[in-house]
């Protein structure tokens, strides 16, 4: 059995908003606003008690949005997010249990990497699209340049500290397939129910990715 191709699943989705849900109805509204702005994939983090229900609601109620689960830390969570309807899963790091468990479960998985050894372990397990985290804290632009040679077949989704001003520099890297960022779902806009602003930020992000 081989790993599900996360890169193929997310092809065309160059910016993946990272969103921590405060409620189920809120999550659906955020996903609809992003989709209306041209963003077709979202990572919902498992950092609140409503996250599983939010993933299930987006998967059910927002056709056209690929919903992923972030902050997946163990195999039990991986099983749970797949049952909830997530089409992909993302981790801040990786473990042998998750690297091989994702293959066994048949779910697209972006393991978190920050070192060459972690990249090698992920590639050996069959994963080709890897979350590079925490991007800004580890000077990911230089890492991406250094890794183009030894890891020519790997593609990365840098996440962590990236905003609209930095996104273009990351997207220009030949080994970056997509990137994750929370700037599209700012907390103040979410709290205020300002989904028009989120839609506007999504449109800006789509234009930025197309440059």
């Amino acid at each position: 059995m081989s790993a599900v191709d996360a890169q193929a699943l997310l092809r065309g989705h160059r910016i993946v908003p990272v969103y921590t849900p405060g409620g189920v109805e809120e999550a659906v509204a955020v996903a609809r606003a992003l989709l209306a702005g041209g963003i077709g994939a979202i990572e919902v983090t498992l950092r609140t008690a409503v996250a599983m229900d939010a993933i299930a609601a987006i998967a059910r109620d927002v056709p056209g949005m690929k919903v992923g689960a972030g902050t997946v830390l163990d195999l039990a969570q991986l099983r749970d997010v797949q049952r909830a309807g997530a089409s992909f899963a993302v981790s801040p790091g990786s473990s042998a249990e998750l690297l091989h468990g994702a293959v066994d479960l048949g779910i697209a998985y972006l393991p978190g990497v920050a070192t060459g050894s972690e990249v090698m372990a992920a590639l050996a397990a069959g994963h080709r699209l890897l979350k590079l985290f925490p991007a800004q804290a580890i000077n990911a632009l230089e890492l991406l340049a250094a890794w183009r040679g030894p890891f020519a077949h790997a593609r990365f989704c840098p996440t962590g500290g990236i905003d609209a001003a930095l996104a273009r520099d990351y997207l220009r890297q030949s080994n970056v397939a997509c990137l994750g960022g929370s700037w599209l779902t700012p907390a103040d806009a979410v709290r205020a129910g300002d989904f028009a602003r989120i839609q506007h930020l999504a449109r800006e992000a789509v234009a930025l990715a197309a440059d």
Side-chain angles (χ1 to χ4, degrees), residues 123-197:
L123 293 175
H127 303 284
R128 295 292 179 270
L129 179 58
L130 316 177
K131 172 177 176 171
L132 183 53
F133 178 83
Q136 280 298 100
I138 59 173
N139 201 358
L141 284 171
E142 290 195 13
L143 269 180
L144 288 162
W147 283 350
R148 273 197 292 268
F151 304 127
H153 300 300
R155 292 297 177 267
F156 297 93
C157 179
T159 307
I162 301 173
D163 58 17
L166 294 166
R168 187 175 281 106
D169 290 336
Y170 279 95
L171 292 171
R172 285 175 177 155
Q173 306 306 309
S174 60
N175 51 353
V176 168
C178 56
L179 61 82
S182 58
W183 85 87
L184 289 90
T185 56
D188 58 341
V190 173
R191 280 195 304 268
D194 189 354
F195 302 113
R197 180 181 168 199

Side-chain angles (χ1 to χ4, degrees), residues 20-93:
T20 300
V24 173
E25 290 182 6
E26 172 199 286
V28 169
V30 165
R32 285 176 173 157
L34 291 168
L35 189 61
I39 295 287
I42 185 173
E43 176 189 334
V44 178
T45 69
L46 301 183
R47 298 179 187 174
T48 61
V50 301
M52 288 292 180
D53 290 337
I55 289 167
I58 294 171
R60 181 185 65 241
D61 297 338
V62 191
M65 177 62 78
K66 288 185 170 64
V67 57
T71 328
V72 174
L73 302 179
D74 56 46
L75 192 56
Q77 286 184 327
L78 190 62
R79 291 193 185 100
D80 288 344
V81 300
Q82 186 180 45
R83 280 194 291 264
S87 57
F88 64 98
V90 187
S91 292

